[in-house]
Amino acid sequence: MASKFTTSNRAGWFMAGPVAALLAVFTVLPFFMAVGFSFTDQRLISPNAPRFVGLANYQQLLGVGVLTLQPNRDANGSVQLNDKGERTYPALRTFTRGNPEYQYLSGMREWFTLDFGQTRFVALARDVVFMKAMGNTLIFVLLAAPLQSMLALVLALLINQRLPGITVFRAIYFMPVVVSIVVVSMLWQFIYAADNGLLNNMLKWLSFGGFQSVNWLGNPSTALGSIIGMSIWQGVGFHMVIWLSGLQTINPVLYEAAAIEGANRRQVFRFVTWPGLRNTAVLILIVITMQAFAVFSQINVMTAGGPLDSTQTIMFQAVERGFARQDIASGAAISVIFFAMVVCVSLTQRYLTRQKV
C-alpha cells in the first residue's frame, strides 16, 4: 500500500512540476526582481550601472503633505479679494520652493484643495499623477465591482428559467466576454464619439433634439465614468455565468418548501436564494475586485490616461513608466505598491466574508 501511495505521489508531482516551474519563472521570479529593482535607479536602457537608492522611489511616489493657508489680508486686516470677488491666498511656491521652515514640503505640488470657512487645506504630493492614479483606481473598484456584480445577478436571475429561446439570451449576454477588450474599447470609442457618436445621437433622439452633444472621453468629468460603464458592460456576462452556476446548485426542494409556506418572491430570494449563493458571492466579489484593480487595456486604447490625467490608473502608470519612459525602478515600485494594495483588499474581503460560527 505504501509503495502504491509513493508511486502515485511521485506521478502527481511529476505532472505538476512543469506548471510549478512556469509559475516560478514567470510569476514568482519577476516579482522578486521587481522588489529588487524598486530599491535602485534601474533604467531599461542606460550605459550607467544601477545604484542602490533605498526607499527613494517609494518616497517619491507616496510622499504627501497638508498645508493650511489663511487668506491674504491688507494693512487694515481685511481679506483681500481678486477681480472675481474670491479670497486670495499665499502662493504655494513660497512654501514648497526653498523655504527652510517647510523642508518636508520641498518639491511637492498641489493635489487638491478643500475650503472650510476662510481656511484652505491644500493636499500636496511629490508625484501628483501617481496619486491621481491611485484615486482613480479606487473609484473604479468601488463603482465597478458592486454595480457589475448586481447587474450580473439580475441577469442570472432572469435567464435562470425554463423558457423557449432562453439559451439565445444567455449567448447574447455572454458574447462581449469572448470579444477582445481592445476590440470592445475601439467599438466604444465610436459609441462615445463627440460628433455623430451613437450615444449622443440616441440621447438627442430621446430628448427630441434638446440634448447637447458631450465629448464623453475628452471631458475630465465624464471620461472615467464612461470607461467604468463600458467595463461593466464588457465583463457582466462572465460574472452572470458564475451567478447562474451558483443558482443551479440550490436544491429545488427548498423552493418547493417556500412555496408551500406561502413565501412571496422577495422572501424566497432573501431566505432561500441569497443564502444559497453565499460562496458564489464571495468568489465573484474577489474576482471582480482583482479585475477592477488591474484595469489597463481600455485606458490604454480609449484615453491613454487623459484628459488631464483623469483616467490614470495604477497599472497604466506601472506600464507607462516602466516601458514608455524606460524607468524600470519607478515601474517596479508601483508594481510592489499595487501588490500590497491587492493583498490588503483580499485579506479584508476574506475577513468580512468569513464563515461565522
Side-chain angles (χ1 to χ4, degrees):
M1 177 66 74
S3 178
K4 291 183 178 180
F5 176 79
T6 304
T7 302
S8 61
N9 197 25
R10 289 177 179 175
W13 279 109
F14 179 77
M15 296 179 65
V19 177
L22 290 174
L23 286 175
V25 172
F26 294 103
T27 303
V28 179
L29 180 60
F31 171 75
F32 284 106
M33 291 178 64
V35 173
F37 287 147
S38 68
F39 296 104
T40 68
D41 61 353
Q42 177 74 45
R43 304 284 298 181
L44 184 62
I45 300 175
S46 175
N48 301 320
R51 296 180 299 108
F52 179 79
V53 296
L55 297 175
N57 291 318
Y58 294 100
Q59 292 172 347
Q60 177 64 27
L61 292 170
L62 301 176
V64 295
V66 178
L67 185 63
T68 303
L69 299 178
Q70 297 296 331
N72 295 320
R73 298 180 182 274
D74 56 23
N76 297 323
S78 300
V79 175
Q80 295 182 356
L81 304 177
N82 58 19
D83 296 338
K84 298 181 180 179
E86 300 172 340
R87 291 187 294 267
T88 62
Y89 292 86
L92 288 179
R93 63 178 176 272
T94 60
F95 301 93
T96 61
R97 300 292 185 273
N99 191 324
E101 297 182 7
Y102 294 89
Q103 284 294 332
Y104 63 98
L105 299 180
S106 179
M108 290 188 178
R109 295 188 297 130
E110 180 183 344
W111 182 11
F112 62 89
T113 61
L114 294 175
D115 290 337
F116 291 95
Q118 293 187 351
T119 303
R120 170 168 292 180
F121 296 92
V122 183
L124 304 171
R126 296 193 183 281
D127 195 324
V128 175
V129 176
F130 179 70
M131 286 299 163
K132 289 183 179 180
M134 289 186 65
N136 291 337
T137 301
L138 292 176
I139 292 173
F140 195 98
V141 171
L142 293 175
L143 291 180
L147 292 176
Q148 191 175 70
S149 60
M150 288 189 293
L151 180 57
L153 177 58
V154 171
L155 293 178
L157 292 171
L158 290 175
I159 65 175
N160 187 34
Q161 305 179 56
R162 295 181 179 179
L163 297 174
I166 198 68
T167 305
V168 176
F169 287 96
R170 293 180 183 178
I172 292 174
Y173 294 148
F174 188 75
M175 194 176 299
V177 179
V178 300
V179 181
S180 169
I181 184 63
V182 175
V183 176
V184 172
S185 300
M186 295 178 66
L187 172 65
W188 277 77
Q189 278 187 303
F190 293 106
I191 294 176
Y192 285 139
D195 299 324
N196 297 320
L198 178 61
L199 181 57
N200 281 329
N201 286 334
M202 183 178 66
L203 293 175
K204 285 182 180 179
W205 180 78
L206 292 175
S207 62
F208 301 101
F211 179 80
Q212 299 295 324
S213 295
V214 176
N215 188 1
W216 299 98
L217 297 177
N219 189 333
S221 62
T222 59
L224 184 61
S226 300
I227 293 179
I228 291 175
M230 183 277 292
S231 301
I232 292 175
W233 175 86
Q234 191 272 337
V236 71
F238 173 73
H239 303 290
M240 175 198 70
V241 171
I242 301 178
W243 281 120
L244 184 61
S245 64
L247 288 171
Q248 294 178 350
T249 60
I250 300 175
N251 195 335
V253 175
L254 299 177
Y255 290 106
E256 296 175 3
I260 294 174
E261 294 293 331
N264 55 36
R265 290 187 176 181
R266 181 173 176 272
Q267 292 171 328
V268 169
F269 178 81
R270 179 180 177 183
F271 297 105
V272 178
T273 303
W274 185 246
L277 291 174
R278 183 185 180 282
N279 293 331
T280 305
V282 172
L283 172 63
I284 286 181
L285 181 62
I286 293 175
V287 171
I288 289 181
T289 303
M290 297 305 102
Q291 290 178 339
F293 265 111
V295 59
F296 168 75
S297 298
Q298 49 268 60
I299 300 292
N300 188 43
V301 174
M302 300 177 72
T303 62
L308 301 178
D309 299 322
S310 61
T311 59
Q312 293 281 349
T313 62
I314 296 178
M315 188 57 63
F316 182 83
Q317 274 291 293
V319 176
E320 173 73 12
R321 300 192 188 200
F323 295 97
R325 302 183 189 178
Q326 300 187 6
D327 189 356
I328 294 296
S330 181
I334 294 174
S335 299
V336 175
I337 294 172
F338 173 78
F339 174 79
M341 292 178 61
V342 170
V343 170
C344 291
V345 172
S346 299
L347 293 177
T348 302
Q349 289 181 336
R350 181 71 178 270
Y351 176 77
L352 295 176
T353 58
R354 71 190 187 281
Q355 187 72 42
K356 297 181 180 180
V357 180

